[in-house]
Amino acid sequence: MRQRSLLFNRPMSVEVREGPLPKPAPDQVQVATRLSAISAGTELLVFKGLFPEDMAVDASIGSLSGRFTYPLAYGYSCVGEVTAAGAGVDPDWIGRRVFAFHPHESHFVVSPEQLLPLPAEVGLEDGVFLAAMETAVNLVMDGRPVIGERVMVWGLGVVGLLTTAVLGRFPLALLAGVDPVERRRQAALDLGAHLVSTGMEPDGDGAVAESFSRTPGDGKADLIFELSGNPQALNAALRWSGFHSRIVIGSWYGAKSTPIDLGGRYHRDRVAITSSQVSTLAPRFTGRWSKARRFHTAWQMVRTIRPSTLITHRFDIREAQSAYDLLADDLRDGLQAVLTYPAD
């Protein structure tokens, strides 16, 4: 048996390298990966070379230390089983199903502290969504929705859909999802959105405006999440904002940029724009919340929502180039793509 590791070696190109299986040090365990989820947001920026050069990859995740530069091992949503343990590790770890923030790799060694055991009632295909669900939970915490509010989610990729699913459990007046892809819009409705729009068709936007106008107020959104990954969407979101509306930007645009129209109603309407990034907790929460508590909440949402239904494409890790090519070509009939790891 050999280790298979995925590397981004230049824009639009990945390779899978093989080598001997890594052996755990006395304080480490070996994990055999069963599934890893591809992020159609951040990872596609890496695949396309649209990341800021020499920026730190993620200082909060040990396996992602270093800078954004090729060749790069990347990825952060693996589930698998502990297959071996070092002499200094409790042998009860062997056989546990675990989640790890780790690049796409068939086998790896880490300290047990870097692993999150899957709850007994959570399957591997649901568990692989933990990173995306933690992001959705963090977005909702940063947005702080209020009972009776009108809320919009721009961008219904996996994070947008999970954010919609979490928001769907709040007593909102209206929850609208916006995305040009029909399959994503239907998934949003299935997960709790009250209405959806392409964001481009006047009739669709008119339906949202009509629904918003049925509740008291100015017919604008109280809270908007911009999760499309497209900086141009922020201008569209601004058009839906009113006095003291809140816009939470969860997208990472990488090296992409566009002029933002802040010369209209934005200034006088006191629109609040904030960024949301899952590597940290917003300072307002640190008195009562920790990352462990947020993980606990994310696992609860995984159990409740069962996001494995969003998996639409599975690729053997040896087919990784085809997987990324397909995603980069704007896969319109897909939601979540995962890599699988054969035992041979």
Side-chain angles (χ1 to χ4, degrees):
M1 187 177 294
R2 306 274 285 173
Q3 180 194 50
R4 295 188 176 102
S5 304
L6 188 149
L7 283 175
F8 297 84
N9 51 17
R10 61 181 182 276
M12 306 301 289
S13 176
V14 299
E15 67 172 307
V16 177
R17 294 182 183 176
E18 294 194 7
L21 294 186
K23 295 182 179 180
D27 60 346
Q28 293 181 320
V29 296
Q30 180 193 78
V31 177
T33 307
R34 304 304 182 205
L35 285 173
S36 59
I38 297 176
S39 161
T42 307
E43 282 192 56
L44 280 190
L45 292 180
V46 174
F47 180 63
K48 295 177 180 179
L50 296 176
F51 49 79
E53 293 185 7
D54 293 327
M55 178 181 175
V57 178
D58 194 323
S60 68
I61 299 176
S63 62
L64 296 178
S65 60
R67 318 296 290 182
F68 273 113
T69 183
Y70 295 119
L72 176 66
Y74 194 70
Y76 48 82
S77 296
C78 293
V79 287
E81 297 172 2
V82 176
T83 49
V89 176
D90 186 340
D92 285 348
W93 273 97
I94 298 175
R96 286 191 186 181
R97 301 172 311 130
V98 293
F99 176 93
F101 290 93
H102 193 85
H104 304 290
E105 198 164 41
S106 65
H107 300 79
F108 57 90
V109 293
V110 292
S111 67
E113 291 76 20
Q114 293 176 268
L115 301 174
L116 294 167
L118 268 65
E121 64 275 26
V122 174
L124 291 175
E125 291 200 346
D126 284 321
V128 79
F129 284 85
L130 177 64
M133 187 64 80
E134 184 196 17
T135 300
V137 168
N138 187 69
L139 283 161
V140 174
M141 289 177 65
D142 286 343
R144 293 184 291 174
V146 174
I147 184 172
E149 285 198 310
R150 298 180 290 262
V151 180
M152 299 183 80
V153 178
W154 282 74
L156 299 174
V158 168
V159 169
L161 288 172
L162 294 181
T163 302
T164 300
V166 175
L167 288 166
R169 280 143 179 82
F170 282 78
L172 302 174
L174 283 168
L175 174 58
V178 183
D179 198 283
V181 179
E182 181 179 0
R183 184 166 190 173
R184 295 175 183 174
R185 295 196 302 273
Q186 183 56 55
L189 291 171
D190 294 340
L191 289 169
H194 300 135
L195 65 163
V196 292
S197 168
T198 65
M200 298 181 292
E201 299 175 2
D203 290 345
D205 288 346
V208 175
E210 181 183 355
S211 297
F212 277 23
S213 67
R214 292 174 188 162
T215 57
D218 58 5
K220 299 292 188 177
D222 302 296
L223 172 61
I224 301 170
F225 293 89
E226 201 302 280
L227 311 178
S228 71
N230 179 2
Q232 295 178 355
L234 180 55
N235 282 324
L238 280 165
R239 291 195 293 272
W240 281 94
S241 64
F243 183 78
H244 204 51
S245 292
R246 310 184 310 283
I247 299 178
V248 178
I249 302 177
S251 296
W252 182 47
Y253 302 128
K256 295 183 293 183
S257 64
T258 194
I260 304 300
D261 181 12
L262 303 180
R265 298 299 308 174
Y266 164 78
H267 180 67
R268 291 186 177 179
D269 278 347
R270 292 178 172 266
V271 177
I273 300 178
T274 185
S275 66
S276 178
Q277 214 287 325
V278 72
S279 295
T280 57
L281 285 158
R284 71 176 67 92
F285 293 114
T286 54
R288 298 290 305 164
W289 283 76
S290 64
K291 287 191 175 184
R293 183 177 180 182
R294 190 174 63 188
F295 277 130
H296 178 76
T297 303
W299 279 128
Q300 287 182 315
M301 290 295 98
V302 168
R303 281 190 289 262
T304 300
I305 294 167
R306 299 293 184 186
S308 57
T309 57
L310 300 179
I311 297 176
T312 53
H313 290 74
R314 294 171 174 81
F315 296 89
D316 187 305
I317 188 175
R318 294 168 292 190
E319 303 169 333
Q321 182 69 50
S322 297
Y324 285 95
D325 285 342
L326 196 62
L327 289 168
D329 195 34
D330 192 18
L331 179 61
R332 301 184 74 82
D333 65 340
L335 300 174
Q336 179 66 65
V338 297
L339 298 177
T340 61
Y341 298 80
D344 60 315

